[in-house]
Amino acid sequence: MSRRIKIRNLEAFVEVARQKSVGRAAITLSLTQPAVSRTIRELEEIVGAALIEREGRGIRLSHQGEVFLSHAGAGLAAVRGGIAALANVATSSGPPVRIGALPTVSATVMPGAVVDFLASGLKSPLRVITGENRVLLDHLRKGDLDLVMGRMPAPELMTALSFEPLYRDRVAFIVSKHHPLAGQRQVAADILAHHPVLVPQPGSIIHPFVERVIVEQGMAQPVQAIETVSDSFGRAFLRACDAIWVISRGVVAAEIASGEFLELPIDTGSTLGAVGLVTREADRPHDAAIFFADILRRRTLQT
């Protein structure tokens, strides 16, 4: 039913209710009286109730019309407010949209979301800042960022913040296609002792997940461990030597899809975690930031 109701139905009904006259409503809406009457009848057919009744030479709302009016007026006001908000951000530079993004999101969802934002024609400047989760959340809490997109933070980091999950990601053990282990169906538990290994440093959001899976799988601890969450360094290092990179799979999804990097056959299902939007509980982001958040929601639905 709601999909059949048009804005013109609500506009005609609300104006007739306000003017208590089809004729005066027609003048205000720059329509003919028959057109307004026809639009009202169409709305009544859709909702299955008589909304307007004759009263002498005038009209009045029926009981059903009185009930429907408050909802129709609120809906129409919301639509008009949304149009006005879009017009405002489209015709002025407005405040910048400041997005914090963990490497996982920077390499997957964020590029397409930025393309969509630029294509929308909105004039607000866009800033995308990457870094460690704790640092980004501190900036968000201080008001230096509007949104943070990344893995669900630990409870102790969520003070004054709220999290909206959008999709899930997991840790993976990644090598280049030229690595001696590439293509093997099984790997030994001591592989981390025989190759350089890139691991997230303590304090990073996925560090506990990596520690957990190493213990769960009975794997030997890395002998040559390099602690980093830098995705650019990780890619360059895998291309330079026979290393193993333990990282969120989303960071290297494009390289896996192209065949440049491969995932080792290690069960990391226990590291699966929610990725989503973090915002401040006390403050509502400005209109352009809300628009960008909606783009991120649509993009994650497509992945």
Side-chain angles (χ1 to χ4, degrees), residues 114-137:
V114 171
V115 170
D116 290 350
F117 185 84
L118 296 177
S120 73
L122 298 185
K123 306 300 182 182
S124 291
L126 186 62
R127 298 175 188 167
V128 179
I129 301 168
T130 60
E132 293 185 17
N133 197 56
R134 188 183 297 271
V135 174
L136 294 179
L137 295 182

Side-chain angles (χ1 to χ4, degrees), residues 273-290:
V275 179
L277 286 169
V278 187
T279 55
R280 291 186 298 277
E281 289 183 342
D283 301 326
R284 178 181 182 273
H286 57 78
D287 290 329
I290 292 174

Side-chain angles (χ1 to χ4, degrees), residues 183-207:
Q184 293 192 16
R185 294 185 178 182
Q186 289 184 325
V187 293
D190 63 349
I191 58 169
L192 301 185
H194 300 294
H195 302 275
V197 183
L198 298 178
V199 293
Q201 65 261 32
S204 63
I205 196 165
I206 66 170
H207 177 78

Side-chain angles (χ1 to χ4, degrees), residues 246-261:
V246 190
I247 192 66
S248 292
R249 192 180 189 279
V251 174
V252 290
E255 287 81 4
I256 292 174
S258 70
E260 181 184 7
F261 292 168

Side-chain angles (χ1 to χ4, degrees), residues 169-249:
D169 194 14
R170 61 178 173 82
V171 168
F173 289 70
I174 305 299
V175 296
S176 76
K177 63 181 179 181
H178 304 296
H179 196 284
L181 297 175
Q184 293 192 16
R185 294 185 178 182
Q186 289 184 325
V187 293
D190 63 349
I191 58 169
L192 301 185
H194 300 294
H195 302 275
V197 183
L198 298 178
V199 293
Q201 65 261 32
S204 63
I205 196 165
I206 66 170
H207 177 78
F209 295 94
V210 174
E211 290 290 298
R212 179 194 305 167
V213 77
I214 289 176
V215 172
E216 288 177 346
Q217 296 293 319
M219 303 179 73
Q221 289 292 327
V223 174
Q224 293 180 303
I226 303 98
E227 296 180 350
T228 181
V229 291
S230 170
D231 55 314
S232 57
F233 174 74
R235 290 186 180 88
F237 194 69
L238 251 62
R239 291 164 183 152
C241 70
D242 292 334
I244 299 172
W245 188 11
V246 190
I247 192 66
S248 292
R249 192 180 189 279

